[in-house]
Amino acid sequence: MKTCKLLIVGAGAAGISAALAAWDAGCRDILLVDRASQPGGILPQCLHDGFGLAKYGKELTGPEYVMRLMEKLNRTDIVFLPKTEVLSVSGDQSAVLSRRGVVERLYFGQMILASGCREKNIGALCIGGTRPAGIFTAGQAQERINLRHQDLGDEIVILGSGDLGMIMARRFTQEGRHVIAVLEQEAHYGGMARNYHRCIEKYSIPLHCRRTVREIHGKGRVCGVTVEALDSGEREYVTCDTLITALGLIPERELVRGLEDREWLFLAGNCSRVHDLVDSAVAEAERIGRMAGRRLSV
Ligand SMILES: Cc1cc2nc3c(=O)[nH]c(=O)nc-3n(C[C@H](O)[C@H](O)[C@H](O)COP(=O)(O)OP(=O)(O)OC[C@H]3O[C@@H](n4cnc5c(N)ncnc54)[C@H](O)[C@@H]3O)c2cc1C
């Protein structure tokens, strides 16, 4: 029977940090798994700097931040298994893992869920029209541009001015694409002031508040969107070939639905609540990791 003392699901910043803290607290049988082929979660696709000011006193890129965590992890005997997905978790303190086509059950003493969050997609809004090619969530677009070097389009409309929307507006502009506008339903941009100044203001990207997309046009490919001014109700057709949705993030914790009250289960990082800053996700994960580690080291 496969067992471990501490199972950590998700090797993003939170999962790795929780593992390191549990190790420092004395726990010596830790299994860290991630369905991705590399550690770091969302960070490897975040090529911009802005990570780590509180923890490291300087602004790192996402990959640099992961490298620092991995350097520490590699000095421990924590077992990290990439390409390993946790398919389910049961009340008898077991989880079903899938790795390289093999599905097996693992029993654990404690578990830390650090599975991050997912993006709200266009289905979360009642937008009329068609659903042609050329619609991406901001996270999908970031992964395709930064890691797969794909060309997504030339004339871009971004719906949502949270941090992800603003960061992607800058990214498309840096890539030589035309960001026609970032649209925001509220009266003010949604993300951090820092990102507004660095991404929107600095690159003179138009930000239109109290606006939304009412309809998407196009058959094979997006050819335009109908934009509505929410205060006047006025509508305008905007020609574009790409629509990026940045509608917010939802903590990803379906795996443990119904088990939230178990004393062997902890949540850390963005699956617990969405953290704007990686340092905040890490600080929470370190606290959780220490707690779980202390319990298991006695
Ligand atoms: C686009 C973007 C830009 C950002 N910019 C900044 C910034 O400039 N500065 C800053 O400080 N912060 C920034 N943040 C915030 C910061 O990156 C996050 O708060 C932090 O990285 C979240 O870490 P996490 O470990 O909780 O989640 P994630 O990084 O999402 O990691 C979760 C991991 O869990 C794995 N997983 C999920 N389910 C399973 C399963 N069933 N089995 C196995 N593995 C599973 C996933 O594959 C993933 O690797 C940004 C976030 C985003 C999305």
Side-chain angles (χ1 to χ4, degrees), residues 73-137:
L73 195 84
N74 291 336
R75 290 198 290 270
T76 69
D77 291 329
I78 294 166
V79 177
F80 168 52
L81 295 182
K83 293 186 185 172
T84 304
E85 176 152 21
V86 175
L87 302 178
S88 64
V89 178
S90 307
D92 62 353
Q93 287 168 260
S94 74
V96 175
L97 274 59
S98 167
R99 177 172 157 79
R100 296 193 177 135
V102 177
V103 175
E104 59 186 358
R105 188 172 290 277
L106 171 102
Y107 289 85
F108 54 80
Q110 310 262 313
M111 177 181 143
I112 299 176
L113 186 73
S115 50
C117 56
R118 64 173 183 273
E119 291 176 280
K120 284 184 196 161
N121 63 30
I122 194 102
L125 298 182
C126 294
I127 298 181
T130 52
R131 292 294 180 268
I135 306 171
F136 305 92
T137 66

Side-chain angles (χ1 to χ4, degrees), residues 133-181:
I135 306 171
F136 305 92
T137 66
Q140 279 169 349
Q142 186 180 56
E143 195 261 343
R144 285 173 183 232
I145 294 172
N146 289 352
L147 298 185
R148 294 199 247 163
H149 311 291
Q150 289 181 0
D151 184 2
L152 300 187
D154 293 315
E155 297 290 325
I156 322 287
V157 169
I158 297 182
L159 181 58
S161 69
D163 292 316
L164 250 170
M166 295 197 284
I167 286 167
M168 286 315 294
R170 175 178 64 181
R171 191 72 189 99
F172 275 108
T173 306
Q174 288 169 335
E175 286 286 299
R177 305 298 180 261
H178 178 213
V179 177
I180 300 165

